[in-house]
Amino acid sequence: PFPSTMSMLGRTLTASARSLGACSSRLLSVTRAANSGQVMCQVDNNIATITLSDPKRLNALTVDMGDEFQSIVSDLLKIEELRAVVLTGDGDAFSAGGDLKFLKARSEDGSVHNAEEMRRFYSRFLSVRQLPVPVIAAINGPAIGAGLCLATACDMRLSTKSARLGYTFATLGIHPGMAATHFVPKVLGQQLAAKMLLTGEIITGSQALEYGLVLSTHETKQELMAATADLAASISAASPMAVRTATKTLRMHQDLGLDAALQREADAQSQCYAEKDLLEGLTAIVEKRKPVHK
């Protein structure tokens, strides 16, 4: 799934879900066999590429994937020479969003536990914000719901022109989550954020460029990954200390009020899980039709 410019050097390290083993500043390749290898990572020339890797399910975000993702972030924190991180998806999608079985289980659980569960779920993927270097999302295909939220939590985004992007929570029947209500207004402005979050509008990569959601768009995945690699290389060529401190400062401003927003989202989603609208939204996805909310 990676272009030749990001080809892996040296031998591949395979680790269990419990232990990653030795980390190399030149190469890190992870396959967590106990969790079916849902996230992969390689480091080349001090630039890490994290790949969500469950292509048969369009890289839907699951608890197991989140555990792997968070563990990989922890290991990358140990690499002092790290200069930049690229986040992308395996196959034809970036991420189709939350796992339907997980959402269905929430509709059968209590509101207090659901709020706690959602905070834990968010924290797994939003650990990307802990990386001390810029994170660039390469949106290679559909980025829907929580999948697009993960990309929005990154510092920069590029996409293919045909990629479909949407914060589709409202049509699904739940309050937006994964820091959508915090980061989307900061990226798009209040009015466009309201439009996308309240309608569940799905846009193309080309429209996302017009909205200011992505920096650039590209015809193919190969062109996207090449452009992303070029941007990461430009960052890597700059002063490491200047880049790390500036990244921290930019996020400091962005993260003001984040914790309160996440708690509000978790509480509101726990209320929505008890309503019939979510079941209609989930049924509509399975039946491949538009939901009818009454």
Side-chain angles (χ1 to χ4, degrees), residues 247-259:
T247 298
K248 184 175 182 178
T249 304
L250 288 169
R251 290 184 189 161
M252 177 184 71
H253 294 297
Q254 291 176 330
D255 290 348
L256 289 174
L258 175 58
D259 189 67

Side-chain angles (χ1 to χ4, degrees), residues 95-241:
S95 173
D99 177 59
L100 298 187
K101 289 183 179 179
F102 176 81
L103 294 174
K104 181 66 165 57
R106 302 282 64 75
S107 70
E108 299 168 354
D109 206 341
S111 60
V112 174
H113 183 258
N114 275 336
E116 296 171 349
E117 192 70 26
M118 294 317 300
R119 283 301 302 264
R120 285 192 290 269
F121 185 76
Y122 302 154
S123 67
R124 291 176 174 94
F125 292 98
L126 292 180
S127 64
V128 71
R129 304 283 296 179
Q130 297 172 12
L131 291 167
V133 298
V135 182
I136 308 165
I139 303 173
N140 56 297
I144 302 298
L148 183 53
C149 292
L150 176 57
T152 308
C154 296
D155 300 292
M156 290 164 273
R157 290 156 296 281
L158 290 73
S159 77
T160 57
K161 291 182 178 180
S162 60
R164 298 170 68 247
L165 301 84
Y167 306 99
T168 54
F169 299 93
T171 52
L172 179 61
I174 57 174
H175 187 283
M178 193 79 83
T181 59
H182 181 81
F183 287 124
V184 180
K186 292 181 181 297
V187 174
L188 297 181
Q190 192 70 25
Q191 186 166 245
L192 273 177
K195 180 187 178 188
M196 289 201 71
L197 292 174
L198 301 180
T199 66
E201 176 186 22
I202 295 178
I203 61 176
T204 64
S206 296
Q207 289 173 293
L209 180 61
E210 295 176 8
Y211 282 12
L213 183 56
V214 300
L215 284 174
S216 62
T217 57
H218 307 272
E219 290 290 347
T220 66
K221 180 176 180 178
Q222 290 71 27
E223 292 174 357
L224 166 67
M225 297 308 297
T228 306
D230 287 344
L231 177 56
S234 295
I235 293 170
S236 182
S239 161
M241 182 58 69

